[in-house]
Amino acid sequence: MLVFYEERLAFLSVPKTGSTAYHSALRDRADIVVTGPPDLKHAPVRRYDRFFQNIFRKMHDAEMEIMAVVREPIDWLGSWYRFRSRPERLNHPHSTHDLSFDDYVQAYMQSPRPEYADVGSQSQFFRTRSNGFGATHVFKYEHQDKILSFLQSRLNMEITLPRENVSPLRDLTLSAETERKFRRKHAAEFACHDAAL
């Protein structure tokens, strides 16, 4: 999470949407940088609103706009699958090394999910509190030009993104049946992505 106080902007970090590169590029410019632990770095809208936004409201009578990035749901799961297949994850309960992507998506659709497929939900990340505010600016991950243009304009600076946190290449083939089932069962994920800029 990055907060730019003068610009009244909080950049929330949806996991697996390139947030590490933005953190590296903008940490020296931000007023607040949260890099860990993961449940704070990746604080969803509800948690941000309850804790961080509340501080700005009470202490500074300020309301931060919230921006975030959302990834196409199958691509997002593919990123988790690849990330958890790294060699250093071998023999870890999160490892996906010996799974196909189809098996991984099938596991994600289980309830409860196995530990290696329990990665949350992008649509849940954007849930608001009953009296809270939602994200003001939500960009699609594949529209990096729009994200950069928005940030460069809002922060009045040139931004060069480093390439970071790159996962190994893996086959991300899904059977037609698995994809149909996933799209039907997790329609909210696709609606969340479709609504982004």
Side-chain angles (χ1 to χ4, degrees), residues 105-128:
V105 174
Q106 289 282 353
Y108 181 82
M109 291 188 283
Q110 293 175 16
S111 182
R113 293 177 181 134
E115 196 171 343
Y116 60 82
D118 194 11
V119 294
S121 153
Q122 291 183 106
S123 65
Q124 289 299 306
F125 184 97
F126 289 100
R127 274 186 52 225
T128 59

Side-chain angles (χ1 to χ4, degrees), residues 18-159:
S19 58
T20 302
Y22 282 101
H23 269 246
S24 294
L26 298 172
R27 65 178 161 227
D28 293 339
R29 173 68 172 74
D31 297 296
I32 299 174
V33 179
V34 181
T35 58
D39 57 342
L40 286 181
K41 175 185 177 182
H42 297 295
V45 169
R46 290 169 65 92
R47 189 174 305 139
Y48 170 82
D49 189 52
R50 183 173 176 198
F51 297 105
F52 293 91
Q53 190 80 290
N54 232 8
I55 291 169
F56 293 120
R57 285 185 194 119
K58 289 182 177 179
M59 295 183 68
H60 303 286
D61 195 26
E63 193 75 39
M64 299 289 150
E65 291 183 9
I66 297 171
M67 79 160 286
V69 178
V70 65
R71 198 164 179 164
E72 192 280 330
I74 295 171
D75 187 45
W76 184 71
L77 281 182
S79 184
W80 273 114
Y81 168 72
R82 290 171 45 234
F83 177 73
R84 290 188 162 186
S85 72
R86 293 170 302 158
E88 60 268 28
R89 302 302 277 179
L90 272 175
N91 302 317
H92 188 281
H94 290 169
S95 178
T96 59
H97 184 267
D98 294 327
L99 290 172
S100 71
F101 183 52
D102 199 277
D103 289 339
Y104 182 73
V105 174
Q106 289 282 353
Y108 181 82
M109 291 188 283
Q110 293 175 16
S111 182
R113 293 177 181 134
E115 196 171 343
Y116 60 82
D118 194 11
V119 294
S121 153
Q122 291 183 106
S123 65
Q124 289 299 306
F125 184 97
F126 289 100
R127 274 186 52 225
T128 59
R129 298 191 308 146
S130 59
N131 62 343
F133 294 93
T136 320
H137 311 279
V138 181
F139 295 92
K140 290 179 172 142
Y141 172 83
E142 58 269 29
H143 293 167
Q144 292 296 320
D145 55 334
K146 289 184 180 179
I147 301 167
L148 277 171
S149 177
F150 172 79
L151 284 169
Q152 288 177 153
S153 175
R154 189 71 177 254
L155 303 177
N156 194 28
M157 66 180 287
E158 287 292 318
I159 299 170

Side-chain angles (χ1 to χ4, degrees), residues 160-172:
T160 303
L161 286 179
R163 189 166 157 83
E164 295 200 21
N165 213 9
V166 180
S167 299
L169 293 175
R170 298 284 307 270
D171 178 14
L172 300 181

